[in-house]
Amino acid sequence: MNVFDKAPSVDKGAFIAPSASVTGDVHVGPASSIWYGCVLRGDVNNIKIGSGTNIQDNSLVHVAKSNLSGKVLPTIIGDNVTVGHSAVLHGCTVEDEAFIGMGATLLDGVYVEKHAMVAAGALVRQNTRIPCGEVWGGNPAKFLRKLTEEEMAFISQSALNYSNLAQVHSAENAKDLDKIEFEKVLRKKFAKRDEDYESLIDIVRETPPQPIPPNKMPKAA
């Protein structure tokens, strides 16, 4: 939806769920996903979301025209960021490959560095900077500990998982009613014949090679 002559710019490779609301000066990059019930409102400032980032269900992303000191506060979210369900991001910056937990709130001027994590339910106060590789949590949020290498790898994997999942949802949402009803009939008819059903809807699965029993192994020359 346009606001103040500003229209959203969404890459053709991004997924916007049907019930999400994306309004005004909002840019969504390739392979990013905005899930069901989200609100991204770029009215008095702009929102920029990079590539491969997921904003999960019922999250809110908004902006501030300026704070008390006059600083302009758009919301900038980098590449391969995961924002958990029902999070609130307001006039803040989140760098690449950061993780925002479910129900977390980031207030005006917050800056989350790369590979940082905000724990679920945390309230991050205005103008707080969360350094690279740290976990912050609580209300108000404070430093808890350093991230492990495994946790940093998990952040990247989480973003990739959501990019792949978004493709599935995008394909399902693109189906017309006739296609949906046809597949319902197939599911009912072939409920116990998975291979037949999958071939009808063009799913091809590779058959793994069967193990050879030891007594059937060819003898060495």
Side-chain angles (χ1 to χ4, degrees):
M1 186 177 83
N2 293 16
V3 175
F4 303 133
D5 296 325
K6 297 289 187 179
S9 171
V10 179
D11 186 89
K12 64 181 181 180
F15 168 63
I16 308 295
S19 59
S21 176
V22 180
T23 303
D25 192 359
V26 179
H27 172 84
V28 181
S32 286
S33 52
I34 312 301
W35 291 81
Y36 305 95
C38 286
V39 175
L40 278 63
R41 182 154 59 91
D43 44 15
V44 297
N45 217 318
N46 67 289
I47 296 170
K48 184 176 181 181
I49 296 171
S51 62
T53 286
N54 60 92
I55 311 295
Q56 296 175 17
D57 314 70
N58 297 319
S59 291
L60 168 67
V61 182
H62 193 221
V63 292
K65 191 171 184 178
S66 63
N67 60 10
L68 292 175
S69 63
K71 184 179 179 180
V72 176
L73 292 171
T75 294
I76 309 297
I77 302 173
D79 300 336
N80 303 316
V81 173
T82 290
V83 176
H85 311 285
S86 299
V88 177
L89 280 66
H90 198 277
C92 59
T93 297
V94 180
E95 288 189 345
D96 300 346
E97 297 178 6
F99 188 99
I100 310 301
M102 294 183 289
T105 299
L106 278 58
L107 299 179
D108 292 359
V110 167
Y111 197 105
V112 181
E113 294 183 5
K114 184 175 182 177
H115 290 153
M117 179 180 287
V118 177
L123 174 63
V124 187
R125 291 185 294 187
Q126 292 180 348
N127 303 316
T128 299
R129 190 178 188 101
I130 299 181
C132 173
E134 293 188 359
V135 184
W136 283 50
N139 181 2
K142 60 182 180 180
F143 171 74
L144 299 179
R145 60 178 176 82
K146 291 284 188 178
L147 278 168
T148 65
E149 291 184 4
E150 291 78 10
E151 288 168 331
M152 289 186 187
F154 165 76
I155 293 175
S156 298
Q157 187 61 48
S158 173
L160 179 60
N161 290 346
Y162 258 88
S163 288
N164 293 335
L165 185 59
Q167 294 179 35
V168 176
H169 281 256
S170 180
E172 289 296 318
N173 279 288
K175 292 177 181 176
D176 58 27
L177 183 59
D178 289 342
K179 178 71 170 176
I180 293 169
E181 292 302 318
F182 176 65
E183 289 187 359
K184 282 182 181 178
V185 172
L186 290 181
R187 287 191 187 96
K188 185 175 181 179
K189 185 175 181 180
F190 296 101
K192 296 183 180 180
R193 298 167 62 187
D194 291 340
E195 291 182 4
D196 291 340
Y197 166 64
E198 289 179 351
S199 68
L200 285 172
I201 58 174
D202 299 323
I203 294 177
V204 178
R205 299 186 188 275
E206 293 185 3
T207 302
Q210 296 297 316
I212 302 174
N215 61 346
K216 301 291 185 179
M217 294 286 288
K219 294 181 179 180

